[in-house]
Amino acid sequence: MNFRYLSVLSMCLASSPLMAEELTDEKKAVIDTILTLTNAQKSAYEGIDQMSGQLTQMLKAVPQLKKPGLAEKVSDKFVLFAKSRMKKDRMLNEISYPIYHKYFTLEELKALRGFYQTPLGKKLGSANPAIVQESSVAAKAYFAGLQPEMQVIVTQVLQSEAE
């Protein structure tokens, strides 16, 4: 009885995602190439730049940073720090490895790398940072347009809570 149980257990473990393909150096190298071809580093830097404005606004609420220009100075220094840290620590790569590994096999990643080496893939890789940035700006504008309706919802919720 125990032998049969162990056999079933070992078959289940062998077919489970835990026993799936290993994250090898070869797979990491393919992911590195995809990140390069898609201009992921540039997109990440631009994301940090976009975050800078929001950070500045948050910092302006800190009493010690009320002096004009001080919040901006801290924000600018943080942006430089974050970008240098990202590059030094290969942060983007280290974050991307487990995510790409989770969703793609080595063969799928090789096919993806092949696509990004085609003319259309290169165009997508080049355009991707701009697409991400423009999408972010468009989404922000879209949701800003919903503010009046959001205010009505907030008012309704607050009124119902007061009753």
Side-chain angles (χ1 to χ4, degrees):
M1 185 70 165
N2 284 342
F3 178 72
R4 198 177 302 171
Y5 173 74
L6 288 174
S7 296
V8 171
L9 181 62
S10 66
M11 287 188 325
C12 289
L13 286 174
S15 65
S16 78
L18 295 173
M19 299 299 287
E21 181 180 310
E22 182 181 340
L23 179 56
T24 62
D25 288 341
E26 179 184 14
K27 195 169 186 181
K28 287 179 180 180
V30 174
I31 294 168
D32 288 342
T33 303
I34 290 169
L35 294 174
T36 299
L37 292 168
T38 59
N39 287 309
Q41 187 86 35
K42 183 177 179 185
S43 291
Y45 282 173
E46 289 176 359
I48 291 171
D49 287 337
Q50 288 177 358
M51 192 176 66
S52 171
Q54 295 168 340
L55 178 60
T56 300
Q57 292 308 310
M58 289 181 353
L59 291 171
K60 285 182 177 181
V62 175
Q64 296 88 336
L65 300 177
K66 291 281 187 192
K67 181 178 171 186
L70 202 51
E72 290 83 352
K73 191 173 188 175
V74 172
S75 180
D76 291 345
K77 284 190 175 283
F78 175 78
V79 166
L80 290 173
F81 166 76
K83 286 180 180 180
S84 69
R85 194 61 190 263
M86 180 186 295
K87 187 170 187 157
K88 180 183 115 206
D89 292 346
R90 291 181 35 107
M91 182 189 78
L92 187 62
N93 303 68
E94 295 302 321
I95 289 171
S96 298
Y97 293 151
I99 296 169
Y100 276 81
H101 177 64
K102 178 180 177 180
Y103 291 101
F104 299 101
T105 66
L106 177 60
E107 293 309 311
E108 290 169 335
L109 288 169
K110 286 180 178 179
L112 195 56
R113 176 184 64 190
F115 167 73
Y116 280 112
Q117 292 171 328
T118 67
L120 181 58
K122 288 177 183 177
K123 182 176 182 176
L124 178 59
S126 295
N128 198 48
I131 291 169
V132 169
Q133 192 221 5
E134 288 179 36
S135 296
S136 175
V137 169
K140 192 174 185 178
Y142 176 82
F143 285 107
L146 296 178
Q147 247 180 335
E149 293 164 69
M150 285 299 298
Q151 190 61 43
V152 169
I153 292 169
V154 168
T155 302
Q156 289 172 346
V157 169
L158 290 174
Q159 285 174 347
S160 71
E161 288 295 312
E163 296 172 357

